[in-house]
């Protein structure tokens, strides 16, 4: 399940930041949203919308991030998000 979630998150990130930007970046579980991708808040909002559209209201990126301190947010990785998606899907299965 998490491999599918990883594939979906990578696809969504490509839509949000543009595939041209991602040509120089290989996105994996350890890819950090801030340090590696430099995502801006508006891009997080766009990603949150895409996650909600694909997974429904159960995957709420804003609520997920709201429970974190600033260091956790700054170090958030694709893998952290994928794990959150997998946990959310398991809880709603």
């Amino acid at each position: 399940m998490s491999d599918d979630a990883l594939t979906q998150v990578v696809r969504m990130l490509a839509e949000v930041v543009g595939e041209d930007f991602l040509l120089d970046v290989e996105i994996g579980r350890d890819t950090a949203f801030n340090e590696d991708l430099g995502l801006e808040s508006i891009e997080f909002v766009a990603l949150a919308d895409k996650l909600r559209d694909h997974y429904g209201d159960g995957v709420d990126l804003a609520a997920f991030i709201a429970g974190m301190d600033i260091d956790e947010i700054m170090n958030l990785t694709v893998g952290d998000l994928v794990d959150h998606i997998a946990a959310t899907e398991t809880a709603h299965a």
Side-chain angles (χ1 to χ4, degrees):
M1 177 177 1
S2 66
D3 286 344
D4 178 55
L6 177 61
T7 300
Q8 291 301 324
V9 169
V10 170
R11 181 187 58 75
M12 291 175 198
L13 283 168
E15 291 174 8
V16 168
V17 300
E19 291 184 22
D20 291 345
F21 173 79
L22 297 180
L23 292 176
D24 297 331
V25 180
E26 184 169 333
I27 299 176
R29 291 187 54 85
D30 295 331
T31 303
F33 287 104
N34 182 49
E35 187 175 330
D36 298 323
L37 298 176
L39 248 60
E40 302 289 331
S41 57
I42 190 74
E43 293 165 327
F44 264 112
V45 171
L47 178 60
D49 288 343
K50 290 185 178 301
L51 288 166
R52 190 177 316 104
D53 289 347
H54 185 80
Y55 292 103
D57 292 334
V59 177
D60 185 341
L61 183 58
F64 176 55
I65 291 173
M68 299 179 178
D69 65 32
I70 190 68
D71 288 334
E72 290 172 316
I73 294 169
M74 296 303 288
N75 294 310
L76 186 68
T77 66
V78 170
D80 295 331
L81 178 56
V82 168
D83 291 345
H84 171 67
I85 293 168
T88 301
E89 288 186 322
T90 299
H92 289 91

